[in-house]
Amino acid sequence: MKQYTPMIQQYLQIKADYPDAFLFFRLGDFYEMFFDDAIKASRELEITLTSRDGGAEEKVPMCGVPYHSAQTYIERLIEKGYKVAICEQMEDPKQAKGVVKREVIQLITPGTMIEGKGIRDKENNFLATMTPFPDGTIGFAYADLSTGESKVTLFDSAEDCFNEISTIRAKEIVLSEDFPEDWEKRLKDFGVQTISREEDTSPSPSFEKILRPVSGEKLQRTLCRLLHYIFRTQKRNLEHLQPAEFYQIRQYMKIDHFSKRNLELTETVRTKDKKGSLLWFLDETMTAMGGRLLKQWIDRPLLSKKEIERRHQMVGALKDAYLEREELRESLKKVYDIERLSGKISFGNANARDLLQLKQTLREIPAIKEILLRIPDEAVHGLAETLDSCPEIAELIEKAIRDDPPLSVKEGNIIRDGYNETLDKYRSAMRDGKTWIARLEKEEREKTGIKSLKVGYNRVFGYYIEVTKANLHLIDDRYIRKQTLANAERFITPELKEMESLILEAEEKSVELEYELFIGIRDRVKKEIPRLQKLAKRISEIDCLQCFASVSDKNRFVRPIFSDDRRLEIKEGRHPVVEKVMERATYVPNDCYMDENREILLITGPNMSGKSTYMRQIALTAIMAQIGCFVPASRAVLPIFDQVFTRIGASDDLVHGQSTFMVEMLEAQYAIAHATKDSLILFDEIGRGTSTYDGMALAQAIIEYVHHKIGAKTLFSTHYHELTVLEERLPKLKNVHVAAVEQNGSVVFLHKIREGASDESYGIHVAKLAKLPDELIERAEEILRSLEGKEERTEGEETGAEKRKGGPASPAAAYAHDPGGPEDGEGADGFQLSFFGEEEMPKNSLTLKEKKVLQQLRSLNVLEMTPMDAMNALYELQKRLKK
Ligand code: ADP
Ligand code: MG
């Protein structure tokens, strides 16, 4: 048996420590991958798979990427949720005895990426961890390595934790080996791509600063797991990690995962894009930091009236100060991402251009401060006063770094003249040397009389004197021949070589010294990172406030007033996003009034009339108010809502059929279990995902439950017109409807909300608008008339026999009598089937499919099933019947 070569053995040894990562193994100018890594990488990255003799019988599969373009390949793998371990040569291969020493210097993972394509300016990249404790609580922490922020909290339920994971969009999560398997599976549903492991939860001295504000063993251990993972993978001193922040979801309005999605707060349901979301609408921030904070604010509306009103106060002041605000925006435009610059400095990735960006930013701060101080508002002044422009840092960079440094930090041309004496000496030696050489050229021309004589330089031969072939007879015998070209010869002289070595030495030394000086400057800035981070926080806050002011000004928003008696009163409210995307057409504003005696509004109205839009505009108004923005209305009095729930009937096209009735019911269950009387619930056509009677019954039961047991402010839209009678029985429920008028036989939606129930279903008119054939429309009208006839009779007495046979008023019967309709049999039966309850069907008419379903139902061992399994099985059976 042949053995692997020592290098392949080294590879395998290192790879054993990183089984779940691609090992980028540095070999000269390439990162190579071997074995399975190579096969997988060649497929994922579309690079050629080759093989290499590794000493054993079979060749070793191999592929590689050049080290200077490795970054893009790494990013592509990370984007797909993989990890990449960077293994470098730790000694100069020329000096190495035996195999070059190699070590993994960093493990790059989706949650620890700090730059590159996947990292967007206005988005955080969070790495999260969750730790369940025996008492049922769950520790949760997350950090953004690029900005250095980290947060930690404790949840009472896994559900809350999952919601949070989806809110912060963590792509990677760090878990212990014994993390519950079923939870791990669910993480994928909440957008987690990558699972990583870390067992160590012990505190370490290097975490001291980060852990300082966090007390309690559970929180500390949760955070330590995350930190151990970060330090183990990044293998460096992470100066910029800020003291962790403890928070509680109780401090914020709770909006669960479903509701966030349905309300399209930060991305749209359809495209998952920011465009079309509330975040997109509101984003008038001028800096990347402000953009990230804005998203955090939208994710966490406040509950404290004092804090909300502090924001409103400042937004109002900035809104009124149009000129100052415009100046402020101009200034903010010149502000770079200090948070991420700090991260780069700490990581050791920052170059001279990054430091210049930092300087430029710091130089802008006094102007920002001055503008804010001109705005007559104490809170704004307070914020301005806390701005620390870190003048020493700006001066240091100003004094040291040239205005046009190169990208590389190892090639010189970074440090200004006058910053360092030794460097100046080297530079003058270089300059003097070069003048000497220029003079030499002149002197040699005179001495030899060769006018075309040139002194030149190349990397291989250094300085030389070049003489064309025609003039060779004129040269001095001091000249030593070095190189022959097609029509010239190149020479050196001893004194030229002497000067050359002086120049090159000075050059080499100066480049080295420049690098050292640069690192020194960067390290000094590194010490000030906490100050820079504090500044970054203030700037982001100012940016968000000016953003709210600008948006509110542009769109004629008003400052909301908070009521203490749970009253909600919106005059001329609008849905900001719908209004913005509606081209030319004008949005119809609507009022809304709710109080202790009007807790539930039952909204009826034709399809496409604006029910969903109306409900959402109220939820968005409440959320905008609680993040500190003004709201789209001419007047708004609002309670402070503790939670917002949005539920959409399964077949509503907003969800694009992705949803099923099961999901609809689960979502409704969640809302009902968690809502309080201080919550806002939107139920949009709940009960639509099942058959008519089922759905209607469920809808009514839900309304009654909310009315009697919860008392939350509830907007319930429905196409079940029958539900409007509830107004008579439920004192706190009121009917409203979206008005529509009939013009020339077709329906015109006014998008106007009016009191009372709508009196007609306009479905057929909508069908007419959609240009279905006239014949079909007439037929539908006929069926409708006969159905309405039936309903009137149902109100009175209907005999069972009539029902069973599908009396003359049933649509099926109407079909059967129609000469153009299908013959008795399949078609008519099919219709009947869905129209009547099953028990009313004569036994012998069971189809084969139904018999099978019954058989399955009989064979279920219900006592052995979890409620969830039972629900699922029931759902499956029902689905098969409906097919
Ligand atoms: P519904 O839920 O009643 O079926 P939607 O709320 O989905 O109706 O609204 C349908 C369309 O009507 C919207 O996409 C929008 O273009 C328009 N619309 C809704 N409300 C208004 C309004 N207040 N003013 C103008 N157009 C509106
Ligand atoms: Mg709707």
Side-chain angles (χ1 to χ4, degrees), residues 578 582 586-590 606-614 751:
V578 173
M582 269 186 9
T586 37
Y587 191 87
V588 180
N590 269 307
N607 241 335
M608 289 301 286
S609 61
K611 299 183 295 299
S612 302
T613 311
Y614 177 66
H751 305 302

Side-chain angles (χ1 to χ4, degrees), residues 127-268:
L127 172 73
T129 184
M130 95 191 245
T131 306
F133 293 103
D135 64 355
T137 57
I138 293 157
F140 180 70
Y142 60 94
D144 182 337
L145 225 52
S146 68
T147 63
E149 69 206 282
S150 58
K151 301 202 169 146
V152 60
T153 188
L154 207 59
F155 290 116
D156 292 330
S157 81
E159 220 52 48
D160 285 345
C161 194
F162 289 137
N163 270 328
E164 195 72 350
I165 288 170
S166 125
T167 296
I168 63 164
R169 290 194 221 175
K171 288 187 216 127
E172 180 180 357
I173 188 154
V174 184
L175 305 172
S176 72
E177 288 294 347
D178 58 4
F179 190 79
E181 219 171 288
D182 46 334
W183 284 7
E184 198 170 312
K185 278 195 205 120
R186 291 199 58 199
L187 285 170
K188 291 257 180 296
D189 299 339
F190 292 89
V192 175
Q193 253 180 329
T194 309
I195 306 266
S196 299
R197 304 288 172 188
E198 177 63 59
E199 299 306 319
D200 198 348
T201 59
S202 60
S204 136
S206 43
F207 305 163
E208 205 269 324
K209 178 183 99 185
I210 308 164
L211 289 177
R212 205 181 305 139
V214 180
S215 56
E217 202 205 328
K218 286 190 241 172
L219 293 175
Q220 292 226 351
R221 277 176 53 195
T222 303
L223 202 54
C224 283
R225 186 191 306 285
L226 191 68
L227 293 174
H228 276 294
Y229 178 76
I230 293 174
F231 280 77
R232 187 165 58 79
T233 55
Q234 302 310 301
K235 300 178 188 291
R236 64 191 75 194
N237 168 359
L238 298 166
E239 205 72 42
H240 73 299
L241 290 183
Q242 309 176 39
E245 190 186 313
F246 170 67
Y247 75 104
Q248 283 176 301
I249 41 163
R250 279 209 297 278
Q251 296 166 275
Y252 304 103
M253 179 200 263
K254 204 164 139 188
I255 318 173
D256 62 275
H257 170 68
F258 307 121
S259 303
K260 281 201 168 129
R261 192 185 58 189
N262 291 340
L263 287 172
E264 312 199 304
L265 294 187
T266 55
E267 60 181 31
T268 63

Side-chain angles (χ1 to χ4, degrees), residues 138 252 314 426 433 437 527 545 551 662 826 830:
I138 293 157
Y252 304 103
M314 291 193 275
Y426 292 141
I437 283 173
K527 292 211 174 67
L545 293 168
V551 172
M662 183 65 190
E826 281 291 325

Side-chain angles (χ1 to χ4, degrees), residues 606-613 615-616 648 652-654 684-685 688 717:
N607 241 335
M608 289 301 286
S609 61
K611 299 183 295 299
S612 302
T613 311
M615 295 167 74
R616 281 172 177 65
I648 302 182
D652 200 311
D653 81 343
L654 276 163
D684 194 349
E685 314 231 11
R688 209 159 118 146
S717 76

Side-chain angles (χ1 to χ4, degrees), residues 251 301-315 379 541 545 559-564 625-628 640:
Q251 296 166 275
L302 301 171
L303 292 180
S304 144
K305 191 165 152 183
K306 203 174 132 219
E307 277 179 65
I308 299 172
E309 290 189 331
R310 179 177 165 267
R311 285 188 195 167
H312 284 162
Q313 172 67 29
M314 291 193 275
V315 168
E541 192 181 345
L545 293 168
R559 177 170 175 176
I561 303 160
F562 292 107
S563 60
D564 296 322
Q626 286 178 241
I627 62 177
I640 290 181

Side-chain angles (χ1 to χ4, degrees), residues 14-28:
I14 297 174
K15 174 69 194 173
D17 288 337
Y18 298 92
D20 63 343
F22 282 101
L23 184 66
F24 273 41
F25 191 77
R26 182 72 179 266
L27 244 182

